[in-house]
Amino acid sequence: MKSLKLFSFISLASLLVLFLSCKKDTTNSKTDLTLEMLADKIWYLNYEQNDSVTNTYISSNAYYIKFLKDKTTEDSDGLVGTYSIEELNGKLQINVTAKTVNMNSITYTHTIETIGEKKMVLSYTPSGQTSKVTLFYSIK
């Protein structure tokens, strides 16, 4: 009887140790999944919304941006550079460091509101302003 209690105690303690020590690390899984959905596609800007004003670009394909798997990016304005994806305060962000066609450096950060295989919504707050600009993209 004593050995049965000891065996039960050891089994329970072992399960408790296993349960408490097993923790799935999801730190990189969100950024990795986002990179998979983002990369090697041409994202076309469909709408831009600022407060109650919406600008539509669906028929013109006026602006596009490419995010490649090697973490380089280029857009229709001639910006060429690199990007990274990070999670900050529970929100995913795209950080871009690029050069203009005149070789001027530019950096910007957009928050990823939603992303899927064919649609993406980004947002940012312009410097010195309080209202957020929301950008709606899709692939063709």
Side-chain angles (χ1 to χ4, degrees):
M1 187 69 166
K2 200 174 203 180
S3 64
L4 183 59
K5 284 183 182 181
L6 181 61
F7 177 74
S8 295
F9 174 75
I10 291 172
S11 297
L12 184 59
S14 297
L15 286 173
L16 186 60
V17 166
L18 281 174
F19 179 73
L20 293 176
S21 66
C22 292
K23 182 179 175 188
K24 186 176 180 180
D25 182 16
T26 60
T27 307
N28 292 329
S29 63
K30 279 185 183 180
T31 56
D32 291 343
L33 180 59
T34 301
L35 179 61
E36 276 184 46
M37 288 190 281
L38 182 70
D40 289 340
K41 296 176 185 170
I42 300 173
W43 294 93
Y44 292 94
L45 181 61
N46 297 321
Y47 303 98
E48 177 182 276
Q49 190 169 28
N50 187 355
D51 286 332
S52 61
V53 178
T54 301
N55 295 316
T56 304
Y57 305 103
I58 289 179
S59 62
S60 66
N61 291 333
Y63 179 79
Y64 69 83
I65 187 166
K66 294 179 193 178
F67 294 102
L68 302 175
K69 279 202 194 270
D70 66 0
K71 297 192 179 173
T72 60
T73 183
E74 63 180 77
D75 70 13
S76 57
D77 291 338
L79 294 176
V80 176
T82 60
Y83 73 95
S84 64
I85 299 170
E86 71 175 340
E87 186 174 4
L88 187 63
N89 298 326
K91 293 264 189 179
L92 289 170
Q93 297 181 327
I94 300 173
N95 302 305
V96 174
T97 302
K99 293 211 181 275
T100 65
V101 290
N102 296 329
M103 299 309 287
N104 295 320
S105 294
I106 186 169
T107 60
Y108 64 87
T109 299
H110 287 171
T111 299
I112 301 171
E113 300 292 339
T114 61
I115 188 166
E117 289 293 321
K118 295 184 178 187
K119 294 189 184 281
M120 171 173 66
V121 179
L122 304 178
S123 68
Y124 68 97
T125 303
S127 181
Q129 295 185 16
T130 56
S131 61
K132 177 171 73 169
V133 175
T134 306
L135 307 166
F136 298 83
Y137 290 88
S138 67
I139 63 168
K140 302 286 180 202

